[in-house]
């Protein structure tokens, strides 16, 4: 099986930055970890309360809330970035930021649920996602075929909507000043709108030639916005950071968002499913218009394009066919080019943090970039 060696982090570091990181959390990292305890508690309490309330409405409603809650979890990257930005710009009220940070995770959940519907995926992190869970439940009740597909679509759309509305509810419940909360709600709405633009281009790209798409623009509008720019911006907003911080946070977020997406796309073809929880066939079967695929079409020869034409977009693609595509990607240098682009974006993010953000926050974000580059999942 092909394996990602995590070179983005190594290529993204220079000079003294290659010194070993301390094993114990210090400074801002320690404070973020402490604040995340309250953030996680806030998120769990909110979901528990909503499930209990839903049960009073109808059992089916409680089942949907349960399915949404099951999608929440993982590393809580977006809440962590929100908290780090808030504390890094001098914020001190953990209670005020906890619900705002938790809201970022529910927004992430909403995007994942809707994205899985659009991609017809029923597995996430190696286990059935919301629609996958509903399929198992429906099958147990004897509901299959067109009737099941209609129910699955409804569950995915409504579940994503539920998580999205919950994100706004949690954000609005912050104990920060009303004026700041209103601005934070507006910021979240802009994040959603920009992400929709990226998702639209991503879906529409399926109808276009690989030469006619711009996957890096999609990464900026979609991945970077709701995963990095939005969380960092709202944390700074609650901390009353200077207006100039917005530009630098956007630049950092866009750079690391592009790097993240490039690595994610590589893992979607060359990763180890046992580590990533992600198929290495689904992107190729769908003909997903990634930068890796675009560069492969651009850099390979006629024989390579014949291999791509035979296998990419084939819903019945098997491991042998995927290996042929991987060999083309390696032979023409597309994988190396993607890694170079990712490393360059990571270096840009680190430089922005170093030159324009408060030192404790800059240190935290540089470490974040390094860890992101070393991930294999």
């Amino acid at each position: 099986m092909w394996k990602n060696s995590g070179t983005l982090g190594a290529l993204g570091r220079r000079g003294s930055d290659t010194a070993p990181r301390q094993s114990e959390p210090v400074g801002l990292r320690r404070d973020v970890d402490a604040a995340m305890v309250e953030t996680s508690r806030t998120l769990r309490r909110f979901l528990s309360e909503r499930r209990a309330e839903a049960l009073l409405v109808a059992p089916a409603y409680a089942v949907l809330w349960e399915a949404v809650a099951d999608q929440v979890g993982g590393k809580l990257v977006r809440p962590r970035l929100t908290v780090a930005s808030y504390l890094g710009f001098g914020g001190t009220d953990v209670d005020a930021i906890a619900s705002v940070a938790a809201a970022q995770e529910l927004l992430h959940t909403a995007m994942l649920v809707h994205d899985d519907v659009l991609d017809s995926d029923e597995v996430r992190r190696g286990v059935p996602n919301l629609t996958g869970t509903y399929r198992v439940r429906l099958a147990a009740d004897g509901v299959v075929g067109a009737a099941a597909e209609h129910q699955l679509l409804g569950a995915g759309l409504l579940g994503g909507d539920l998580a999205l509305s919950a994100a706004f509810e949690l954000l609005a419940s912050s104990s920060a000043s009303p004026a700041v909360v209103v601005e934070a709600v507006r910021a979240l709405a802009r994040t959603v709108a920009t992400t929709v633009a990226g998702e639209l281009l991503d879906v529409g790209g399926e109808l276009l030639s690989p030469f006619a798409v711009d996957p890096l623009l999609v990464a900026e509008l979609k991945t970077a916005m709701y995963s990095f720019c939005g969380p960092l911006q709202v944390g700074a907003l609650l901390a009353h950071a200077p207006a100039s911080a917005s530009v630098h946070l956007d630049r950092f977020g866009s750079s690391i968002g592009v790097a993240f997406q490039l690595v994610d796309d590589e893992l979607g073809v060359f990763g180890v499913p046992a580590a990533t929880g992600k198929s290495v066939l689904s992107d190729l079967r769908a003909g997903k218009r990634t930068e890796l695929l675009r560069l492969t079409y651009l850099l390979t020869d006629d024989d390579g394009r014949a291999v791509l034409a035979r296998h990419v977009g084939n819903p019945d693609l098997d491991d042998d066919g995927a290996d042929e595509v991987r060999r083309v990607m390696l032979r023409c240098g597309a994988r190396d080019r993607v890694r170079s682009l990712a490393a360059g974006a990571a270096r840009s993010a680190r430089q922005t943090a170093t030159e324009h953000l408060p030192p404790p926050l800059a240190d935290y974000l540089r470490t974040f970039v390094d860890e992101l580059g070393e991930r294999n999942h």
Side-chain angles (χ1 to χ4, degrees):
M1 177 60 67
W2 306 89
K3 186 175 181 180
N4 187 298
S5 58
T7 57
L8 186 155
L11 290 173
R13 296 191 291 270
R14 289 293 183 268
S16 61
D17 291 324
T18 58
R21 291 191 296 273
Q22 298 184 34
S23 58
E24 294 297 322
V26 294
L28 183 59
R29 176 177 285 267
R30 177 198 58 218
D31 295 340
V32 169
D33 286 345
M36 281 301 299
V37 173
E38 180 57 31
T39 299
S40 297
R41 184 181 297 120
T42 297
L43 186 56
R44 290 195 303 271
R45 182 171 60 244
F46 177 86
L47 292 170
S48 178
E49 290 173 353
R50 293 304 169 272
R51 288 197 298 267
E53 292 170 359
L55 191 58
L56 299 176
V57 176
Y61 188 37
V63 168
L64 182 60
W65 263 113
E66 186 72 36
V68 169
D70 286 344
Q71 301 301 294
V72 178
K75 299 178 180 178
L76 302 180
V77 168
R78 293 146 193 87
R80 282 187 177 278
L81 289 177
T82 304
V83 169
S85 182
Y86 176 73
L87 298 177
F89 279 107
T92 58
D93 189 347
V94 172
D95 289 337
I97 196 61
S99 60
V100 176
Q104 303 301 313
E105 186 62 23
L106 287 178
L107 173 60
H108 174 51
T109 299
M111 296 302 178
L112 290 184
V113 172
H114 282 161
D115 198 54
D116 285 345
V117 171
L118 290 168
D119 292 342
S120 299
D121 284 337
E122 296 186 8
V123 174
R124 170 84 50 184
R125 300 176 184 134
V127 297
N129 60 13
L130 188 147
T131 50
T133 300
Y134 264 78
R135 184 180 292 282
V136 172
R137 184 178 291 112
L138 289 167
D141 292 336
V143 182
V144 296
E149 299 307 317
H150 182 69
Q151 294 298 316
L152 292 174
L153 178 61
L157 293 177
L158 296 174
D161 289 347
L162 200 58
L164 186 59
S165 67
F168 279 97
E169 183 182 357
L170 252 181
L171 181 56
S173 72
S174 172
S175 60
S177 70
V180 170
V181 171
V182 168
E183 285 303 309
V185 168
R186 286 176 178 162
L188 188 65
R190 288 194 296 270
T191 295
V192 173
T194 302
T195 304
V196 167
E199 190 73 78
L200 180 66
L201 294 180
D202 193 18
V203 172
E206 297 172 2
L207 302 176
L208 302 176
S209 159
F211 299 105
V213 296
D214 189 348
L216 298 185
L217 174 61
V218 171
E220 287 187 24
L221 294 173
K222 182 181 169 184
T223 306
M225 186 60 187
Y226 90 84
S227 292
F228 303 104
C229 298
L232 290 167
Q233 290 282 8
V234 76
L237 176 66
L238 259 73
H240 302 284
S244 60
S246 177
V247 174
H248 305 311
L249 290 174
D250 264 350
R251 185 175 297 127
F252 174 88
S254 293
S255 296
I256 195 59
V258 167
F260 179 92
Q261 189 60 59
L262 289 169
V263 172
D264 198 58
D265 290 341
E266 182 189 343
L267 290 172
V269 177
F270 290 93
V272 179
T276 65
K278 179 178 181 178
S279 168
V280 290
L281 296 178
S282 59
D283 282 359
L284 294 177
R285 284 173 173 169
K288 187 174 177 61
R289 295 322 196 219
T290 63
E291 183 68 1
L292 175 60
L293 182 63
R294 189 189 74 84
L295 287 172
T296 303
Y297 272 97
L298 183 66
L299 298 175
T300 193
D301 54 20
D302 289 341
D303 289 341
R305 291 190 189 96
V307 172
L308 299 179
R310 187 161 60 250
H311 295 302
V312 174
N314 176 9
D316 298 319
L317 177 71
D318 58 17
D319 289 329
D320 290 339
D323 278 345
E324 287 188 51
V325 174
R326 294 185 188 105
R327 282 191 286 270
V328 172
M329 290 176 166
L330 291 170
R331 189 166 56 244
C332 74
R335 186 195 196 190
D336 288 341
R337 182 77 69 89
V338 164
R339 287 187 162 191
S340 179
L341 288 171
R347 284 195 297 271
S348 177
R350 299 179 88 258
Q351 182 177 356
T352 296
T354 299
E355 295 179 356
H356 300 291
L357 297 178
L361 180 58
D363 288 344
Y364 185 92
L365 293 178
R366 283 198 300 266
T367 300
F368 174 80
V369 172
D370 294 346
E371 292 172 347
L372 189 67
E374 294 164 358
R375 73 192 179 106
N376 63 357
H377 59 283

